[in-house]
Amino acid sequence: MKKTKKIIASFLVIVILLLFTGCKGEDKVTLNVFNWGDYIDETVISEFEKEFGINVNYETFATNEDMYVKIKQGATNYDVAFPSDYMIEKMIKEDMLKEIDLGNIDNFKYIDGQFKNLAFDPENKYSIPYMWGTVGILYNTKVVKEPVKSWDILWDEKYKNQILMLDSQRDSIAVALKKLGYSMNTRDTKKLKEAKEELIKQKPLVLAYVVDEVKGMMIGEEAALAVVWSGDAITMMKENENLEYAIPKEGTNLWFDNMVIPKTSKHKKEAEIFINFLTRPEISLKNTNYIGYSTTNSETVKMLSKEIQNNKVAYPDKEDIKDSEVFLDPGNFIKEYDKIWTEVKAY
Ligand code: N2P
């Protein structure tokens, strides 16, 4: 009898232990984070996992449009994503984002005022600033001996097969629109058609349409001119001293990437903890130094080396970006942009 009791008691202890450890395992939340390629120092993710006991499943995308489609399809319940301005505007309109409780983002106070309350999210109800930058031309001075002043250079026959364009519809169409002297937010089908013709005319000169691959190609001097995002320009210029960055005189795109919580998220609380963590000045510093992009965090800027603070590619003078435009969501008119991009790519 005594023996049976003992067996039952040990059995119960084992069951309780199993239940306990089992529950603990289930308790650990896994956050699905969806970010641009090469856009975080991954050691920052492990630091977060250690500090908060939250797992992170980290996935990347190459363009806003790719990200949007994946979130819209809803196969993965993403908890944090990093869209740009116009895409945030679109996702808000389509009710794809959860409101962020600013009370849970203490570090929001470190975000520089110039990046808060921007038109795409006027009260930062849905998005917390991450990085910002410009689009410009990165060129190799060994091959390009003339000053780079205009987008026109990307149509110059003498650089045939030495030109890299961004495989990103808004960016590449914007380059053609600006070359023509038009707004990159045009809703005029005639102007868009002209932009399409420009891109088709340019196609025989283009070596490739790329996104993150641009870095290896420009550092390795496989091409002479590339349309790039400023942060990537900094990374490449560090690796190859023959590379320079120019913002053409016709003006360029000024962009802002913010962190958002998609409606599909099942872990809003943890998503806010993650966003707050990335906004912590020391973490943001580590991240900014690693990826080369320009931080929106004024506390972080102060901690950057003087050399980076004075780097005009990362922190341009107002004068250099005065003719810039921020992308706007064209609403239904986006179909026209989609259409011309498909036609350019298929040509
Ligand atoms: C990082 C991508 C930066 C995004 N590779 C520009 N909006």
Side-chain angles (χ1 to χ4, degrees):
M1 197 55 193
K2 248 188 172 174
K3 215 175 165 190
T4 329
K5 268 192 186 164
K6 253 192 184 165
I7 292 173
I8 293 174
S10 358
F11 179 72
L12 279 177
V13 168
I14 292 171
V15 169
I16 289 168
L17 272 177
L18 276 178
L19 273 177
F20 185 66
T21 46
C23 284
K24 247 185 121 182
E26 268 170 35
D27 265 346
K28 208 164 180 184
V29 165
T30 297
L31 272 187
N32 291 312
V33 175
F34 202 23
N35 196 359
W36 299 78
D38 300 337
Y39 218 24
I40 204 164
D41 174 348
E42 294 205 17
T43 66
V44 158
I45 300 177
S46 21
E47 249 181 79
F48 170 79
E49 292 181 314
K50 255 197 23 233
E51 183 171 331
F52 294 95
I54 297 170
N55 289 329
V56 173
N57 169 38
Y58 189 75
E59 288 178 35
T60 61
F61 57 84
T63 65
N64 276 300
E65 287 67 27
D66 294 351
M67 177 225 54
Y68 168 82
V69 169
K70 275 285 263 323
I71 295 188
K72 197 85 181 177
Q73 281 168 347
T76 306
N77 295 317
Y78 292 107
D79 298 296
V80 180
F82 296 66
S84 312
D85 36 65
Y86 71 100
M87 193 48 81
I88 296 172
E89 187 186 344
K90 178 178 172 73
M91 293 171 96
I92 294 172
K93 278 189 211 154
E94 296 182 18
D95 196 25
M96 290 172 70
L97 303 180
K98 279 194 201 288
E99 280 195 28
I100 295 176
D101 185 348
L102 283 182
N104 294 333
I105 316 288
D106 310 340
N107 297 326
F108 187 66
K109 59 178 179 277
Y110 298 122
I111 301 289
D112 196 304
Q114 60 175 314
F115 303 109
K116 287 179 177 170
N117 310 327
L118 296 180
F120 55 88
D121 182 14
E123 292 166 55
N124 286 103
K125 262 196 194 164
Y126 302 94
S127 69
I128 305 295
Y130 183 61
M131 301 285 161
W132 69 283
T134 57
V135 176
I137 300 176
L138 186 82
Y139 60 101
N140 189 318
T141 52
K142 269 170 43 191
V143 183
V144 181
K145 302 281 185 202
E146 62 196 306
V148 174
K149 290 210 168 118
S150 160
W151 294 111
D152 281 341
I153 197 165
L154 301 172
W155 274 260
D156 189 331
E157 297 273 341
K158 71 172 175 285
Y159 299 114
K160 186 172 163 87
N161 280 331
Q162 304 240 49
I163 297 169
L164 297 173
M165 287 293 281
L166 266 171
D167 193 6
S168 164
Q169 70 174 68
R170 279 310 288 273
D171 294 287
S172 284
I173 296 172
V175 166
L177 285 168
K178 284 319 252 187
K179 172 185 191 280
L180 292 164
Y182 300 148
S183 161
M184 59 180 66
N185 289 310
T186 189
R187 292 193 190 197
D188 180 333
T189 33
K190 245 182 67 209
K191 290 179 177 164
L192 267 185
K193 189 164 168 273
E194 280 179 59
K196 177 183 88 180
E197 280 154 11
E198 284 295 331
L199 291 171
I200 288 177
K201 193 167 90 196
Q202 183 205 30
K203 239 187 137 176
L205 312 181
V206 175
L207 176 64
Y209 295 85
V210 286
V211 182
D212 292 323
E213 310 88 310
V214 72
K215 293 197 274 292
M217 294 180 85
M218 287 303 286
I219 294 167
E221 306 195 337
E222 288 170 51
L225 294 143
V227 176
V228 299
W229 293 308
S230 47
D232 285 345
I234 290 167
T235 301
M236 292 182 264
M237 289 163 77
K238 245 193 250 163
E239 297 293 322
N240 185 327
E241 58 178 18
N242 301 316
L243 300 175
E244 291 290 344
Y245 181 77
I247 293 179
K249 63 173 192 306
E250 298 91 347
T252 193
N253 169 239
L254 185 62
W255 53 263
F256 306 96
D257 292 342
N258 284 22
M259 297 175 275
V260 301
I261 307 180
K263 267 264 157 92
T264 47
S265 164
K266 295 206 165 79
H267 307 292
K268 178 167 181 269
K269 193 178 100 206
E270 291 79 5
E272 287 175 340
I273 295 174
F274 184 74
I275 291 173
N276 196 39
F277 179 76
L278 286 188
T279 314
R280 188 190 288 172
E282 303 74 39
I283 296 298
S284 157
L285 176 69
K286 202 167 169 201
N287 210 16
T288 304
N289 276 332
Y290 182 85
I291 65 176
Y293 275 84
S294 320
T295 179
T296 53
N297 192 313
S298 52
E299 222 28 55
T300 305
V301 170
K302 288 185 216 153
M303 297 191 270
L304 290 169
S305 71
K306 280 279 163 287
E307 192 190 334
I308 299 180
Q309 283 185 39
N310 297 328
N311 183 319
K312 294 292 173 225
V313 178
Y315 301 97
D317 291 330
K318 286 227 160 53
E319 177 62 23
D320 295 333
I321 49 173
K322 69 172 192 329
D323 295 321
S324 310
E325 286 182 273
V326 179
F327 284 133
L328 301 173
D329 168 40
N332 270 339
F333 195 78
I334 191 66
K335 289 197 192 90
E336 297 297 321
Y337 280 83
D338 288 344
K339 202 174 101 201
I340 75 162
W341 185 239
T342 310
E343 286 171 10
V344 169
K345 290 301 289 291
Y347 192 81

